[in-house]
Amino acid sequence: MELCEHAWTDYGSVAVLSATVAMLRTGQTNQGQTARMEQLVESVRAKNDGSTQICRQLARLREYQQRYSAAIGLYRQTLADNPSDVRAVADLARLLALTKTGTDEAAQLIGRALKQAGPSPELLETQAIVFLASGQFGQSVDRKSGV
């Protein structure tokens, strides 16, 4: 964790922040470390107001913390600032589907992401999750198997 803090201080890149959040999401950190990294992400966000990449990383952290409504709000904020952020579109679609707070919207979002970026394993997986959450079991199997 200290390495991440030093790397941010020395380099200040979004890649360092992304790696930090990814490390937290592995579940290999304790509450104190998670709190320290949350403070780091928040301070980075405050210094870089308007950065959609930082906002998306904070959304990923909130999702890890199971603060789903906050994560959904941050993904929406990311998309308001950068509607073409396919990763944020897919992340929001997946979270809406998994929390069953907007499966219709999730279907529209993943459709939009697939139109923008074309099919990729990550987007097709998210589409399958949306289909499953919507009760479209046959669709999810057909899409994942390529049938």
Side-chain angles (χ1 to χ4, degrees), residues 99-117:
T99 59
K100 304 229 184 217
T101 56
T103 53
D104 290 341
E105 181 184 2
Q108 290 173 353
L109 287 167
I110 195 59
R112 176 176 132 194
L114 285 163
K115 256 187 197 166
Q116 276 182 263

Side-chain angles (χ1 to χ4, degrees), residues 70-88:
I72 288 169
L74 287 162
Y75 284 130
R76 289 188 192 286
Q77 182 180 341
T78 298
L79 292 173
D81 294 338
N82 183 7
S84 63
D85 186 337
V86 174
R87 182 67 259 143

Side-chain angles (χ1 to χ4, degrees), residues 15-43:
V16 172
L17 189 60
S18 179
T20 302
V21 172
M23 185 178 68
L24 288 172
R25 290 171 56 106
T26 66
Q28 307 264 332
T29 57
N30 62 40
Q31 283 184 328
Q33 291 170 322
T34 300
R36 280 176 40 206
M37 293 321 322
E38 182 177 8
Q39 288 175 336
L40 174 66
V41 173
E42 288 285 1
S43 71

Side-chain angles (χ1 to χ4, degrees), residues 38-135:
E38 182 177 8
Q39 288 175 336
L40 174 66
V41 173
E42 288 285 1
S43 71
V44 168
R45 184 174 183 223
K47 292 176 188 170
N48 297 280
D49 191 33
S51 169
T52 57
Q53 292 177 324
I54 293 171
C55 190
R56 184 165 27 96
Q57 291 306 317
L58 183 57
R60 294 182 79 220
L61 176 60
R62 294 292 180 249
E63 191 175 340
Y64 164 73
Q65 294 171 318
Q66 298 180 359
R67 294 170 58 186
Y68 301 125
S69 60
I72 288 169
L74 287 162
Y75 284 130
R76 289 188 192 286
Q77 182 180 341
T78 298
L79 292 173
D81 294 338
N82 183 7
S84 63
D85 186 337
V86 174
R87 182 67 259 143
V89 172
D91 287 345
L92 177 58
R94 180 185 39 75
L95 190 55
L96 288 170
L98 290 174
T99 59
K100 304 229 184 217
T101 56
T103 53
D104 290 341
E105 181 184 2
Q108 290 173 353
L109 287 167
I110 195 59
R112 176 176 132 194
L114 285 163
K115 256 187 197 166
Q116 276 182 263
S120 69
E122 189 175 332
L123 293 179
L124 292 173
E125 178 183 34
T126 300
Q127 185 182 46
I129 290 168
V130 171
F131 284 144
L132 287 170
S134 302

